[in-house]
Amino acid sequence: MRNEHPKPDLVHESGYLSLNGKWQFALDDDGSFAKSDWLDIGVALPRQIEVPFAPECALSGIADPSFHDHCYYKTAIEIKKKTNRSYRLTFLAVDYETTVYVNGQEVCRHIGGATSWSCLIEDYLHDGSNEIAVHAYDPGRRKDIPRGKQYWKEKSEIIWYTRTSGIYRSVFLEELPKDHIIHLAINGSWLKKQAIVKAEVTDPSHPLVLSLVKDGKTINQVQFNLQNNGQYIWDLAEPELDPWSPEKPTLYEVVARYQDDLVRTRVGFRDIEIEEGKVLLNGQPLFQRLVLIQGYYPGGNLTPETKEAFLKDIRLAKALGFNGARIHQKTIDPWFYHYADEEGFLLWGESPSCFEFSPSGSKALYEEWTAIVKESFGHPSVIAYTPNNESWGIDDISRSAEQLAFSELMYHHLKAIDPTRMIVSNDGWENPMTDLVGVHDYSDDNEPNYSRFISRLKSKGAMESDPPNFDRPIFAPGRADLSKPFLLTEYGGISYNASGQKATWGYGKQESQNGFLSRYRKTQEAVIASPYLVGYCYTQLYDVEQENNGLCTFDRKPKADVALLKDINLLSSE
């Protein structure tokens, strides 16, 4: 059972109660079940499910990947209710529209399937047994809501995977002081010798005291008078601090005291800048050797069986020579952030895309990204945000002023709420206003001599004049800017079925191991020889479902000798 602390970088001293485990459960296709007496206390639902695993996956105990748009959950908890205490119920992710009930009464609603949210439930609790019920509505065929790689058809195919409905990340309850810290994230700058503190508390009339801790000793302390919830600057000119980097991921503990509440978190000090077409980390050029990670796991789809699976993926990617990843078309679990900070693993934050443009879908993405930035802000591993990918959901961006305006609105919105990260506005092609130009190119698969692939990589102008994919231009109309840093952010995807399974889809013909290694080396040599690329993101770390274009199988077994693959990737360091 997944009963670890769900938010390892926002730990209240008062503790928590994991609500993961067996819940009563029901599936429904049209919502008619909601009209029954299911909310009545003591009325049992017909099945059991293992939370936090979605009903489509095996680890849930349901394993039903067919369309069921409505999920119903119930569980009972024993509470010794205390006066002058708050009880905060948190869901790390539920797909997609959620209504929560306590003892038969509605306590909150939430729309969005990619980020966490909480509600206070003390007014609905009583001593003894209490019943929590959840109704999740996830319209599996709709293309105008953020869905990412979750397919809107019955069976997975090509690059689309099994859907995820209902609860798919941890659920937990915290008993907290009446006055408590709701949110705290600290973003450290090594060059400026300061940190941006974002704090949210129940009553901003009380001060917040932060202590920076190294080796168990407080080395700096500050008190903020919180006139309102917001953002504050922590001056850290003294003492001398070590920077965070992939080579030396130094983290400092922070102890936050607010009234009777005590919270522990961490901070790393690092700076990402762009200068003369280069990306700088702490003032030094950074070459990004990224790998695409889809975030799917055997038996659990979007949810691994254990949190250690996140650490295994990070260490596997680093062993293969990568220094970071795009977590593709999904959001990042708090434990993945936690381990990436510890291991020195760079991350590009992403979200599920819509696949049709609509006002409601645009609003949903805007709100999800506000929450994504809130969750990402305190993690030094996160260096970029990618609000759109390959014009998904904004497919007419080159002709539609409305879609172009929405994409550029997202750029400005993310810059306004987090100016410390780079924005990759529409990764792949038709880049509008953007900090980095991400280019996707899978077109080498039918060209054994790689002539066209190599010729495009010789200059930014060649890439712009000879679009690599589907004749989609690199820039949106009127937005061309060759001074921007360029990265090849999807390419490769070499097909090699090393597991013997029926996964047969990849880019180009199916290769033997020798053919796979030969193509991989030629591809990486061409990328590294490019005089203008400041990084790459190879597709992909591991196979997923029908795809076999990973460097590893779905169960994370490398398809060739790890040292050999690492040597090929580290060509970029020579």
Side-chain angles (χ1 to χ4, degrees):
M1 185 172 74
R2 292 284 302 274
N3 59 5
E4 70 275 354
H5 194 295
K7 285 193 170 183
D9 295 306
L10 191 67
V11 179
H12 292 264
E13 187 180 47
S14 52
Y16 73 103
L17 173 65
S18 174
L19 300 186
N20 293 343
K22 298 291 184 186
W23 289 49
Q24 297 173 32
F25 184 69
L27 284 170
D28 177 22
D29 294 347
D30 59 8
S32 59
F33 189 84
K35 300 174 183 177
S36 70
D37 60 356
W38 78 284
L39 279 174
D40 291 351
I41 305 301
V43 171
L45 302 186
R47 307 176 75 175
Q48 278 197 334
I49 189 169
E50 184 74 20
V51 169
F53 301 102
E56 289 86 353
C57 72
L59 288 172
S60 72
I62 303 296
D64 184 351
S66 57
F67 285 105
H68 302 289
D69 287 356
H70 298 265
C71 301
Y72 300 84
Y73 300 80
K74 265 190 173 185
T75 191
I77 58 172
E78 289 288 330
I79 293 290
K80 185 173 177 58
K81 189 177 179 183
K82 300 176 184 177
T83 58
N84 202 35
R85 304 290 281 182
S86 288
Y87 292 82
R88 184 172 292 276
L89 178 63
T90 299
F91 295 82
L92 288 190
V94 185
D95 215 348
Y96 173 70
E97 299 181 12
T98 311
T99 308
V100 180
Y101 307 85
V102 175
N103 294 322
Q105 299 182 70
E106 182 179 324
V107 298
C108 61
R109 295 189 180 196
H110 180 263
I111 297 177
T115 53
S116 66
W117 45 279
S118 301
C119 46
L120 293 175
I121 63 172
E122 57 264 24
D123 292 343
Y124 305 88
L125 294 173
H126 49 247
D127 270 336
S129 180
N130 293 264
E131 198 167 76
I132 296 175
V134 175
H135 173 208
Y137 169 56
D138 187 16
R141 295 175 176 85
R142 277 183 58 183
K143 297 167 68 176
D144 65 336
I145 62 173
R147 59 184 314 113
K149 289 301 192 81
Q150 300 181 52
Y151 205 21
W152 52 89
K153 295 183 181 180
E154 186 73 28
K155 294 183 179 180
S156 301
E157 61 180 346
I158 314 175
I159 63 169
W160 315 111
Y161 313 138
T162 302
R163 291 169 301 284
T164 290
S165 302
I167 299 170
Y168 71 95
R169 284 184 185 151
S170 292
V171 185
F172 64 106
L173 180 67
E174 293 170 295
E175 179 194 292
L176 301 167
K178 204 69 177 178
D179 286 331
H180 59 268
I181 296 170
I182 300 169
H183 176 71
L184 179 66
I186 306 173
N187 184 309
S189 166
W190 182 67
L191 294 176
K192 294 179 180 178
K193 309 304 179 189
Q194 66 181 33
I196 301 171
V197 178
K198 291 196 175 184
E200 185 179 349
V201 298
T202 52
D203 182 356
S205 67
H206 302 301
L208 173 69
V209 178
L210 302 180
S211 301
L212 190 70
V213 178
K214 180 180 181 181
D215 299 328
K217 295 180 180 179
T218 297
I219 60 174
N220 193 295
Q221 191 173 84
V222 66
Q223 176 175 301
F224 292 113
N225 295 315
L226 308 177
Q227 298 305 313
N228 47 59
N229 290 312
Q231 180 171 297
Y232 309 89
I233 300 298
W234 187 357
D235 180 13
L236 288 156
E238 297 291 341
E240 187 71 24
L241 299 171
D242 293 326
W244 183 97
S245 69
E247 296 75 27
K248 188 180 179 182
T250 302
L251 296 168
Y252 294 85
E253 182 184 13
V254 175
V255 178
R257 289 178 173 85
Y258 167 77
Q259 295 294 87
D260 295 329
D261 192 20
L262 186 148
V263 165
R264 296 182 186 277
T265 187
R266 305 186 302 181
V267 61
F269 295 89
R270 65 101 183 95
D271 297 85
I272 289 289
E273 301 170 296
I274 294 174
E275 186 176 292
E276 297 181 353
K278 303 293 184 183
V279 176
L280 306 181
L281 173 64
N282 302 327
Q284 299 300 315
L286 172 68
F287 191 89
Q288 296 173 67
R289 301 186 306 277
L290 310 180
V291 66
L292 201 73
I293 293 180
Q294 303 282 4
Y296 277 72
Y297 297 88
N301 294 355
L302 292 180
T303 312
E305 186 171 9
T306 68
K307 64 181 176 60
E308 287 76 18
F310 299 127
L311 181 59
K312 181 179 179 180
D313 280 355
I314 291 169
R315 288 181 171 172
L316 175 60
K318 292 196 74 171
L320 292 170
F322 299 102
N323 62 8
R326 281 180 68 200
I327 309 298
H328 192 41
Q329 285 298 298
K330 64 169 287 186
T331 53
I332 300 172
D333 185 280
W335 276 98
F336 204 113
Y337 283 130
H338 184 82
Y339 288 133
D341 291 344
E342 287 186 342
E343 297 290 314
F345 193 64
L346 305 172
L347 296 175
W348 284 24
E350 203 161 327
S351 74
S353 291
C354 303
F355 291 92
E356 289 180 356
F357 185 76
S358 71
S360 61
S362 300
K363 181 176 183 289
L365 277 174
Y366 185 93
E367 292 176 349
E368 287 281 38
W369 268 101
T370 303
I372 290 169
V373 170
K374 183 176 181 179
E375 293 181 347
S376 305
F377 188 76
H379 295 283
S381 56
V382 180
I383 62 170
Y385 298 133
T386 308
N388 286 109
N389 176 73
E390 292 185 348
S391 302
W392 292 353
I394 49 171
D395 193 59
D396 204 31
I397 188 174
S398 286
R399 293 170 293 276
S400 167
E402 182 182 20
Q403 293 182 22
L404 179 60
F406 170 69
S407 181
E408 296 194 337
L409 167 68
M410 290 297 294
Y411 173 87
H412 288 297
H413 175 54
L414 297 183
K415 273 296 181 186
I417 59 178
D418 187 357
T420 71
R421 264 89 182 194
M422 302 176 292
I423 312 299
V424 190
S425 292
N426 184 27
D427 196 59
W429 50 71
E430 294 171 324
N431 285 266
M433 186 171 293
T434 188
D435 294 332
L436 302 178
V437 180
V439 179
H440 296 182
D441 191 348
Y442 292 108
S443 60
D444 65 290
D445 53 279
N446 292 315
E447 300 177 37
N449 61 1
Y450 293 86
S451 58
R452 185 166 176 246
F453 182 67
I454 293 171
S455 67
R456 277 198 303 270
L457 294 177
K458 288 183 177 179
S459 74
K460 295 180 180 181
M463 181 69 77
E464 184 189 14
S465 63
D466 184 15
N469 278 291
F470 314 115
D471 293 324
R472 305 294 284 264
I474 299 300
F475 293 99
R479 300 299 188 269
D481 185 350
L482 297 182
S483 70
K484 300 282 188 181
F486 270 56
L487 295 93
L488 191 63
T489 47
E490 282 190 38
Y491 69 103
I494 300 167
S495 302
Y496 170 36
N497 189 347
S499 64
Q501 60 188 14
K502 294 182 179 180
T504 57
W505 192 88
Y507 292 94
K509 67 178 183 178
Q510 291 293 316
E511 295 283 3
S512 64
Q513 186 182 68
N514 287 339
F516 160 73
L517 285 171
S518 175
R519 278 185 59 192
Y520 187 54
R521 178 174 287 278
K522 287 179 181 179
T523 302
Q524 292 299 81
E525 286 174 346
V527 172
I528 301 314
S530 173
Y532 68 86
L533 290 178
V534 300
Y536 61 75
C537 180
Y538 182 82
T539 304
Q540 57 190 351
L541 183 60
Y542 49 78
D543 297 343
V544 181
E545 296 190 358
Q546 68 279 350
E547 286 190 272
N548 62 10
N549 52 11
L551 296 174
C552 306
T553 61
F554 192 34
D555 58 0
R556 280 43 173 190
K557 294 178 181 176
K559 294 182 178 180
D561 180 73
V562 170
L564 177 57
L565 293 172
K566 182 177 182 178
D567 286 345
I568 294 172
N569 287 325
L570 290 182
L571 288 169
S572 59
S573 299
E574 295 175 359

